[in-house]
Amino acid sequence: MKQFSLLILLFLMAKISFAQKNVDELLEAYNTRSVPYISVEELRMFQMNDAVTVLDAREPEEFAVSHIKSAINVGYNDYTSEEKQLQNLNKNIPVVVYCSVGIRSEKIGEKLKKAGFTKVKNLYGGIFEWKNKGYPVFDSAGKETEKCTRLFQALEPVFERGKPCLLKQIYFNALHKARQQNSTKWHY
């Protein structure tokens, strides 16, 4: 029984390592590092001190499923730096932008920098990494949820709860394949 448990533990560790490698590979392949990264732990420290503005670069439908507390949804497809919620922000305080993984948020971060925001960071690994590290996300009603995206919501009955790395790996693989096929249906 001990050997079987050890085997399962090693398998799960390999899966987690593979999922992290996928994140690293995706960010390396699609990002230019034009917007510096911030870790989920660093963002959490900023959040605890109330010293940061958090912007969600996912679409409103994704934001409704889950988002980081106090995040402002700016979207991606219809984003404009002239949006009302951005006009009232201090351009000299730290701003952290996130999406599912960190690719869309880099593009929005670039636009924020062009609009005069001076302290813009991109959340490394996005909301998936945030959730994977055990930090809370909230639905449109303000209740804590385990869901990260509509895809997670759809797949939840199929997979065991508490296995975000496995779901994340499946999600990354599907997104990467769609991206290779030049599909615009899926976003990172």
Side-chain angles (χ1 to χ4, degrees):
M1 186 63 178
K2 275 188 173 182
Q3 290 176 337
F4 182 70
S5 297
L6 182 61
L7 185 62
I8 288 176
L9 178 64
L10 289 173
F11 175 76
L12 290 174
M13 287 174 57
K15 284 285 191 187
I16 291 168
S17 172
F18 182 71
Q20 185 61 47
K21 185 177 177 189
N22 280 348
V23 173
D24 295 340
E25 287 174 0
L26 282 172
L27 294 176
E28 187 68 33
Y30 296 109
N31 281 4
T32 62
R33 294 182 179 256
S34 59
V35 178
Y37 291 118
I38 185 171
S39 71
V40 296
E41 294 85 2
E42 290 173 295
L43 172 56
R44 187 63 173 169
M45 284 190 292
F46 272 123
Q47 240 189 355
M48 300 303 277
N49 295 322
D50 216 16
V52 66
T53 298
V54 181
L55 301 178
D56 188 321
R58 299 173 305 145
E59 295 305 317
E61 300 82 23
E62 295 171 278
F63 184 82
V65 172
S66 66
H67 56 271
I68 295 172
K69 192 172 193 129
S70 77
I72 300 168
N73 183 237
V74 295
Y76 180 75
N77 289 331
D78 297 325
Y79 171 82
T80 174
S81 59
E82 283 80 42
E83 294 202 29
K84 288 179 187 174
Q85 67 255 40
L86 296 179
Q87 296 301 315
N88 298 328
L89 296 179
N90 181 340
K91 293 184 178 185
N92 297 311
I93 65 167
V95 173
V96 176
V97 188
Y98 74 91
C99 61
S100 296
V101 180
I103 296 172
R104 288 180 284 176
S105 50
E106 181 180 69
K107 291 175 181 24
I108 298 301
E110 291 169 352
K111 292 178 181 182
L112 288 166
K113 286 171 70 174
K114 285 180 185 172
F117 287 86
T118 59
K119 298 178 181 176
V120 180
K121 302 273 188 181
N122 183 8
L123 183 61
Y124 190 88
I127 196 168
F128 290 164
E129 190 68 14
W130 177 267
K131 188 65 186 146
N132 236 16
K133 296 285 183 171
Y135 296 120
V137 294
F138 299 86
D139 64 19
S140 59
K143 293 182 180 180
E144 192 169 335
T145 182
E146 293 299 314
K147 298 171 177 73
C148 281
T149 68
R150 285 180 293 163
L151 179 62
F152 276 28
Q153 195 172 12
L155 291 176
E156 187 176 37
V158 179
F159 297 98
E160 260 184 78
R161 286 187 76 145
K163 302 289 185 213
C165 291
L166 179 58
L167 287 175
K168 188 167 75 167
Q169 179 185 343
I170 291 165
Y171 184 76
F172 290 150
N173 290 341
L175 291 175
H176 192 62
K177 185 175 181 178
R179 187 78 174 232
Q180 287 176 331
Q181 296 171 352
N182 294 323
S183 172
T184 57
K185 183 176 180 180
W186 295 91
H187 295 290
Y188 292 107

